[in-house]
Amino acid sequence: MSEIINGKAVAAEIRKTVLERASAFERKHGRKVGLAVVRVGDDPASAIYVKNKIKACEECGIASYSHCMGANTSQAELIELISTLNADACVDGILVQLPLPKHIDERETLSVILPEKDADGFHAVNAGKLFLGERDGTVACTPRGIIELIKSTGVGIEGKRAVVIGRSNIVGKPVAALLLEHNATVTVCHSKTVDLKEITRQADILVVAVGKKHFVTADMVKRGAVVIDVGMNRDESGLHGDVDFDGVKEVAGYITPVPGGVGPMTVAMLLLNTVDGAGA
Ligand code: NAP
């Protein structure tokens, strides 16, 4: 039977630090740390994420500047807004909520954000710094949060065999780079991986970012492993992870729930990236 990793509690500790740092910044500079949150279109999930992020800013002493643009917004209009925010001295961090409508090129748009204002850590400069082992870049929020959750278990990462399922630019690749940075031996699996179960069963640390409800089952997990479930799969019965929690918790040593695991950490790390970016 595993220990449940309480993402809400770990996130609350981080938020406390953010509030202290943001308050100290305000006393020193006479203004709040500022985060601009940009949303384009009417994706309902994005609306919920943005609302949560704005609420989290308020609770942690960060000013949020919300920009909701219509679904027909052109790429040029979005880039113009980002350029204005880049030049705004009250804006320390910029977040463009993904996904963007299909007619907008995500990569090109994100590349316009100044790397030092890139609160999400998705800019090529920041992603590159992570892979080069340069520590002065912004690390993407979810991967940064995942590392904190693993550390919260007290299980050391160094020397461990870590397996990541998923190779997206926002989760799989950066979390693999961070685990490597922490001296784990890392294997990255994806949809073309052969004998996935053989690989995952060797993992002391298993990070799952696939986007398929209950994809990882108990027979794929090594006894005592740390299992981090990144998945957020919504259906009529609610929010579900990529891990079959009820089965896997009987085998794993530590496991994150969904909700209440990685999700709260992603928001906390966005706030932390924002105060970091402000130099608070
Ligand atoms: P993504 O871009 O769709 O990537 C999914 C990855 O899973 C791909 O690399 C894909 O392989 C791999 N995959 C798909 N089917 C597979 C299979 N049968 N066997 C092995 N690998 C397989 O997803 P993402 O953006 O990384 O997100 C993953 C999940 O995390 C989603 O549920 C998302 O909502 C959630 N998420 C949560 C948070 C949070 O804060 N909690 C943040 C971000 C994402 P290929 O590359 O070969 O296609």
Side-chain angles (χ1 to χ4, degrees):
M1 188 73 175
S2 40
E3 208 171 290
I4 314 295
I5 303 173
N6 187 341
K8 273 191 189 163
V10 182
E13 282 303 310
I14 290 162
R15 282 174 177 233
K16 227 165 86 185
T17 311
V18 169
L19 176 59
E20 284 163 13
R21 287 174 58 187
S23 305
F25 179 94
E26 190 176 355
R27 283 194 298 276
K28 188 171 169 194
H29 297 278
R31 71 161 178 93
K32 285 183 188 291
V33 172
L35 176 69
V37 182
V38 181
R39 178 162 74 86
V40 186
D42 40 25
D43 177 50
S46 292
I48 296 172
Y49 299 147
V50 163
K51 199 173 130 217
N52 289 343
K53 288 168 187 176
I54 290 171
K55 185 164 166 267
C57 283
E58 276 167 19
E59 289 166 359
C60 292
I62 296 174
S64 62
Y65 307 104
S66 175
H67 298 267
C68 293
M69 307 178 86
N72 294 329
T73 302
S74 69
Q75 182 159 330
E77 284 167 330
L78 178 56
I79 287 177
E80 196 184 320
L81 171 64
I82 294 172
S83 305
T84 308
L85 297 171
N86 279 341
D88 187 336
C90 291
V91 172
D92 301 287
I94 301 170
L95 171 144
V96 177
Q97 184 65 44
L98 301 180
L100 290 169
K102 295 224 174 334
H103 66 278
I104 296 180
D105 184 319
E106 241 166 55
R107 273 280 125 218
E108 206 178 311
T109 307
L110 295 180
S111 74
V112 179
I113 300 173
L114 282 177
E116 54 273 29
K117 290 197 178 189
D118 171 34
D120 254 339
F122 293 160
H123 194 286
V125 166
N126 287 317
K129 284 189 175 198
L130 173 62
F131 278 84
L132 294 174
E134 292 179 18
R135 285 156 203 264
D136 62 336
T138 304
V139 176
C141 305
T142 303
R144 194 177 179 191
I146 290 169
I147 296 296
E148 290 307 314
L149 287 177
I150 298 170
K151 285 183 179 169
S152 77
T153 65
V155 173
I157 299 176
E158 183 163 317
K160 294 291 178 350
R161 188 171 273 254
V163 173
V164 179
I165 317 181
R167 55 173 164 180
S168 70
N169 289 332
I170 61 168
V171 187
K173 281 181 200 160
V175 84
L178 281 173
L179 288 163
L180 194 57
E181 193 65 19
H182 284 78
N183 296 319
T185 301
V186 185
T187 305
V188 182
C189 302
H190 45 78
S191 68
K192 306 292 184 289
T193 297
V194 177
D195 289 338
L196 181 66
K197 189 170 35 168
E198 291 309 307
I199 300 167
T200 58
R201 283 177 65 87
Q202 294 176 35
D204 304 305
I205 298 168
L206 180 62
V207 178
V208 190
V210 177
K212 290 185 176 162
K213 176 180 166 182
H214 299 173
F215 178 79
V216 166
T217 45
D219 58 324
M220 298 168 75
V221 176
K222 180 178 175 177
R223 189 157 290 281
V226 178
V227 178
I228 306 290
D229 186 353
V230 187
M232 293 208 298
N233 308 290
R234 277 176 211 281
D235 65 16
E236 55 293 334
S237 62
L239 186 64
H240 306 277
D242 287 347
V243 174
D244 173 24
F245 183 84
D246 289 340
V248 173
K249 78 174 190 316
E250 302 300 327
V251 183
Y254 300 85
I255 185 169
T256 58
V258 176
V262 174
M265 290 301 285
T266 297
V267 179
M269 290 301 160
L270 169 70
L271 304 173
L272 194 60
N273 279 350
T274 305
V275 288
D276 281 353

